[in-house]
Amino acid sequence: MTRYVLALDQGTTSSRAILFDLQGQPAGMAQEEYPQHFPQPGWVEHDPLDIWSSQLRVARQVLKDAHVDASQVAAIGIANQRETTVLWDRATGVPVAPAIVWQDRRTAEACDALRAAGKAPRIQANTGLELDAYFSATKLAWLLEHVPGARARAEKGELCFGTVDSWLAFKLTGRHVTDVSNASRTMLFNIHLLRWDGELLDLFGIPDTVLPEVVASSEEVGLTHAHLFGHPIPLTGIAGDQQAATFGQACHRQGMVKNTYGTGCFMLMHAGAQPVASTNRLLSTVGWKINGRTDYLLEGSVFMGGATVQWLRDGLGIIQQSADVEALALSVPDNGGVYMVPAFAGLGAPHWDPYARGTLVGMTRGTTKGHIARAAVEAIAYQSAELLDAMRRDAACPVTEMRADGGAARNDTLMQFQADLLGVPVVRPRVTETTALGAAYLAGLAVGFWRSREEIAAQWQAERRFEPRMADDERAERMARWARAVERSTGWAAHA
């Protein structure tokens, strides 16, 4: 009987389920988009029940379509959108409020107040994170303050807080857990001691009764409720989506770098067995914990990657589907001097400006939708180039290549331009679903489906290698122009 590992890839705009075989090859996939809610400017919400129901449907669908019985599934692994904050009733499993999505900026002023009070250095020292509304701590504090009765109920242990992995694990198995990689994104977790930080819980006013138990990224959490799939399946792998993608890209050694081109762009470098304190406003974060060993990463986060292309589709209506952007961008020979800074949700690393807003500069009467599409595609690469530049300054070892994955990594024009801006090769793997693959690998390791990281690394294969072709002086000039465009977007919404 052929056996598989099922990966649940719960993303910001869609839920996916992918079956992987012993060779790490996809044997089936199902995907479903779910609603996004923008109740006020700067606010982004999800209905946690939409997250759960869409994820359950695609998990059932992929098993049905692949003619795989649940008894053939050795394990389930979860990879999830990170930082998004869910609060639910422990007894009923019903959410008490909409989930506050990682992109949400409603708590930016709360972060400003903490910064003014001098709290940012201690937060960074303990958590490896910048003080920013991106992370879960201020989102959870907001929910406890604004949902009627929530604080009193949380203090009595009646409510559960979790990031999306916790929410799915609870619905799948009934256990209230999170793994170390997701815990490290809450701004409440001490990455040196690998436990919830009492000092930060006090600072943010979070009762410890609401927190999940922290587990390893690869260990048995529990069995899924039998009625969900007709047969209980072990849940044995959990990691935040970017950590999962790094693991799936086999970036298991210090100095290896991957960039995921998803809704946002997330560049991570393997930093070794100890956290690296960034001096260039990158994040130091937990990668994964396996068999008692914890690996750390350096990370740079771009909030608007593929979401920029979605805006061209949904906001401007200049393309019918996201895949159309490459042809439209290639309809013009260059960007015509047009630069787009897609700071729709502020700017992430290395700027960390929640008040930046989207900017389109350099337009003339000759500007066409082709130029705007080109500027949007190039903006993804410019933002990522800033991240690698910061990593090079932080890291002790040189970067020799960057491994790329995510939906926009299929765009050859973007990948070539990215290699040109970075000055190092960009390598696209044969299996680009590396987020789901990483979750599958973590789950499979825990049950012996795969025996070792070495076995996993040997399965990684390149599909295409993009070599840099741009001259150094042109690269420097383009990055300087980009910096001027970014400068014009910063601080736009401050104290508006």
Side-chain angles (χ1 to χ4, degrees):
M1 182 175 66
T2 307
R3 307 207 71 200
Y4 303 91
V5 173
L6 175 61
L8 306 182
D9 182 3
Q10 206 300 302
T12 309
T13 57
S14 70
S15 295
R16 292 190 293 178
I18 306 181
L19 278 172
F20 289 96
D21 64 18
L22 192 59
Q23 287 70 46
Q25 297 296 311
M29 182 178 86
Q31 179 170 351
E32 181 182 315
E33 290 195 5
Y34 62 92
Q36 310 290 301
H37 303 282
F38 311 99
Q40 294 185 36
W43 289 32
V44 188
E45 295 179 348
H46 291 155
D47 183 339
L49 295 176
D50 286 340
I51 291 175
W52 165 240
S53 61
S54 62
Q55 190 64 75
L56 180 61
R57 275 193 298 271
V58 292
R60 288 171 167 167
Q61 189 67 44
V62 73
L63 294 175
K64 179 182 176 184
D65 292 349
H67 306 290
V68 170
D69 187 81
S71 62
Q72 294 175 253
V73 180
I76 289 177
I78 293 172
N80 57 284
Q81 55 163 314
R82 303 171 304 170
E83 297 95 19
T84 295
T85 300
V86 188
L87 192 63
W88 69 92
D89 185 296
R90 188 182 300 275
T92 65
V94 175
V96 299
I100 303 181
V101 179
W102 58 271
Q103 298 161 315
D104 189 284
R105 310 308 294 168
R106 77 184 67 178
T107 60
E109 289 187 1
C111 293
D112 289 345
L114 288 166
R115 193 173 293 107
K119 303 299 183 183
R122 177 52 66 91
I123 289 171
Q124 184 178 30
N126 289 16
T127 69
L129 306 177
E130 288 278 332
L131 172 54
D132 193 81
Y134 175 30
F135 305 106
S136 311
T138 56
K139 301 180 193 300
L140 175 55
W142 190 95
L143 287 171
L144 293 176
E145 198 63 35
H146 290 84
V147 175
R151 180 170 297 283
R153 296 192 65 205
E155 288 171 350
K156 287 191 285 187
E158 295 177 7
L159 300 184
C160 295
F161 150 71
T163 43
V164 168
D165 61 304
S166 292
W167 170 238
L168 293 179
F170 186 88
K171 298 299 277 186
L172 287 166
T173 71
R175 282 194 68 192
H176 184 208
V177 300
T178 190
D179 92 296
V180 287
S181 72
N182 280 293
S184 77
R185 310 297 297 188
T186 61
M187 216 156 65
L188 297 169
F189 188 73
N190 189 306
I191 63 169
H192 308 280
L193 303 175
L194 297 179
R195 64 181 185 224
W196 299 116
D197 191 301
E199 181 183 356
L200 296 181
L201 294 176
D202 290 343
L203 177 64
F204 290 103
I206 308 296
D208 60 7
T209 46
V210 81
L211 300 174
E213 177 189 351
V214 181
V215 298
S217 310
S218 180
E219 72 169 70
E220 181 158 338
V221 169
L223 295 173
T224 61
H225 299 303
H227 72 273
L228 295 176
F229 303 108
H231 188 279
I233 304 171
L235 171 61
T236 59
I238 300 175
D241 51 10
Q242 301 315 316
Q243 288 96 331
T246 308
F247 197 80
Q249 281 276 37
C251 292
H252 303 162
R253 297 192 315 276
Q254 191 172 0
M256 297 183 76
V257 177
K258 75 88 197 171
N259 196 23
T260 295
Y261 297 84
T263 302
C265 290
F266 301 90
M267 187 178 292
L268 289 90
M269 172 187 280
H270 194 297
Q274 298 295 327
V276 172
S278 174
T279 57
N280 293 282
R281 308 198 74 186
L282 298 176
L283 309 177
S284 186
T285 197
V286 175
W288 45 80
K289 184 178 181 182
I290 303 171
N291 294 331
R293 172 182 154 186
T294 304
D295 290 35
Y296 291 87
L297 307 172
L298 268 176
E299 176 176 334
S301 312
V302 167
F303 297 154
M304 295 291 291
T308 309
V309 176
Q310 291 173 338
W311 176 73
L312 297 182
R313 180 193 70 190
D314 303 334
L316 286 191
I318 63 174
I319 53 174
Q320 291 292 308
Q321 51 192 11
S322 294
D324 297 341
V325 74
E326 185 168 14
L328 184 55
L330 288 173
S331 69
V332 292
D334 54 44
N335 67 12
V338 177
Y339 286 78
M340 177 188 292
V341 182
F344 298 99
L347 287 171
H351 306 284
W352 296 108
D353 182 355
Y355 303 110
R357 288 296 178 266
T359 308
L360 199 57
V361 297
M363 291 184 291
T364 68
R365 283 292 298 273
T367 298
T368 68
K369 60 185 179 181
H371 293 111
I372 293 172
R374 184 85 169 220
V377 170
E378 291 183 351
I380 298 171
Y382 280 120
Q383 293 176 101
S384 297
E386 288 185 309
L387 299 182
L388 191 69
D389 184 47
M391 274 180 188
R392 282 169 163 150
R393 295 198 298 272
D394 271 337
C397 44
V399 175
T400 57
E401 68 176 28
M402 187 191 77
R403 297 182 173 184
D405 56 66
R410 300 188 191 97
N411 184 323
D412 291 351
T413 304
L414 171 60
M415 292 297 97
Q416 183 59 55
F417 188 65
Q418 187 71 85
D420 289 342
L421 285 183
L422 298 180
V424 297
V426 171
V427 187
R428 185 169 61 203
R430 284 200 178 167
V431 178
T432 57
E433 301 293 351
T434 53
T435 300
L437 181 58
Y441 279 149
L442 290 166
L445 279 173
V447 295
F449 192 80
W450 292 287
R451 293 183 301 277
S452 67
R453 300 185 204 207
E454 290 73 26
E455 180 184 353
I456 286 168
Q459 292 186 348
W460 188 91
Q461 291 180 298
E463 180 264 322
R464 181 164 173 186
R465 190 177 179 90
F466 297 85
E467 298 285 347
R469 300 191 296 231
M470 189 179 287
D472 289 348
D473 56 350
E474 183 183 352
R475 183 183 302 124
E477 182 182 339
R478 284 175 176 263
M479 289 303 298
R481 278 184 169 270
W482 166 255
R484 289 175 60 205
V486 169
E487 189 182 327
R488 283 155 175 77
S489 78
T490 57
W492 183 262
H495 315 303

